[in-house]
Amino acid sequence: MLEALKRLFRGHQEIGVTSDTDRSETIKQLKFGQIPKHVAIIMDGNGRWAAKRGLPRIAGHQAGMKTVREIVRVADDLGIEVLTLYSFSTENWKRPRDEVNFLMKLPQEFFNSEIKELKSRNIRVEMVGSESQLPGFTMSAINQFREETKENTGLQLNFAMNYGSRSEILYAVEGMLRDQAGGHLDIDEVNEETFARYLYTRDLPDPDLMIRTSGEIRISNFMLWQLAYSELWFTETAWPDFKEKSFLQAIQDYQRRSRRYGALK
Ligand code: FPP
């Protein structure tokens, strides 16, 4: 707990935000024994954030990258084990070509600017989603991340790229059928745990907390299986404006929830 507190206060100085009593109070109220292990985020509202300022949509995504940097640091400081960011959905291919191209280049940009710090923080970077349609330069950035951070044992940062939950479920079913046909899987042994191992998220714990920014109250084909018992937290704040303060607020609210998994308390 003391370590997490120290990290939070040190991180705060690094990002140059002047100390305020609100923040210290929020941090003091956090229960460090009850930090969610896995937080998943639908980073929504970049386009609207840009439109409000008369800027092109890609300026919103660029601003959203800054938030990614900040939230990764805070998640790491808090001792969160897994952070999954919905970065590009299987439906996002329907967007204008320029916007898609811009989004596809972000992993390389993020690699160039962040790899040093991510490594120094012992963060492992992975991707969840279908690799098949992603351009070579996007996969090459992701594979560089994988290669350079594979030994890291701290926070696991997952970019959900070309991710769609329904297609993930189909991919799992196909994998199971293939293994059954090959004699590697006995259908009588199939249970929830076996099934989960065929998903892109295979060995990850289910998210404890799912955050969606920018006022939409829906799941949008994100981790339908994995979110079965997650706590959901929504905010009107657009992703580029979602800062440490909002994140800590979400964690604090999560800690007030009573998780019963269908049982009685
Ligand atoms: C949704 O907002 C956001 C996205 C489709 C992309 C989000 C991606 C990032 C913030 C950067 C990811 C970083 C890496 C390194 C991959 P929207 O544009 O749909 O918002 P709108 O609903 O206001 O139009």
Side-chain angles (χ1 to χ4, degrees), residues 81-243:
E81 291 175 18
V82 185
L83 178 68
T84 301
L85 303 177
Y86 203 5
S87 308
F88 191 89
S89 76
T90 44
E91 289 71 35
N92 287 153
W93 295 108
K94 296 178 207 152
R95 295 189 175 201
R97 197 152 45 128
D98 284 355
E99 183 174 345
V100 170
N101 281 342
F102 185 84
L103 290 168
M104 287 299 144
K105 287 188 186 134
L106 293 182
Q108 187 64 55
E109 186 184 326
F110 195 71
F111 181 88
N112 294 342
S113 66
E114 300 305 298
I115 187 65
K116 207 165 149 226
E117 179 168 356
L118 295 171
K119 281 170 83 168
S120 76
R121 282 178 174 265
N122 194 25
I123 293 176
R124 192 172 144 213
V125 184
E126 258 301 337
M127 133 174 190
V128 290
S130 167
E131 298 183 6
S132 58
Q133 290 151 285
L134 291 171
F137 58 85
T138 308
M139 276 318 301
S140 132
I142 288 165
N143 287 329
Q144 271 175 293
F145 264 131
R146 282 179 166 148
E147 189 50 36
E148 297 230 10
T149 65
K150 66 179 181 213
E151 311 289 350
N152 292 353
T153 52
L155 171 73
Q156 176 162 342
L157 168 62
N158 295 314
F159 289 107
M161 290 287 293
N162 194 24
Y163 177 89
S165 192
R166 287 185 172 183
S167 67
E168 177 188 35
I169 289 169
L170 286 178
Y171 164 85
V173 171
E174 279 163 20
M176 281 174 46
L177 290 173
R178 214 173 296 118
D179 278 357
Q180 195 214 6
H184 306 297
L185 178 72
D186 180 351
I187 214 75
D188 294 328
E189 282 168 20
V190 174
N191 55 30
E192 291 183 11
E193 260 172 55
T194 333
F195 184 75
R197 279 205 301 274
Y198 283 85
L199 296 166
Y200 297 132
T201 48
R202 23 190 95 79
D203 41 11
L204 299 175
D206 286 341
D208 300 293
L209 170 65
M210 195 287 285
I211 296 172
R212 182 173 188 149
T213 58
S214 207
E216 311 294 356
I217 316 289
R218 53 177 176 260
I219 305 291
S220 300
N221 203 14
F222 187 49
M223 301 186 117
L224 301 177
W225 171 277
Q226 298 89 335
L227 292 178
Y229 277 102
S230 308
E231 295 300 322
L232 308 181
W233 195 84
F234 298 94
T235 174
E236 292 291 327
T237 305
W239 178 249
D241 290 330
F242 186 89
K243 302 289 170 202

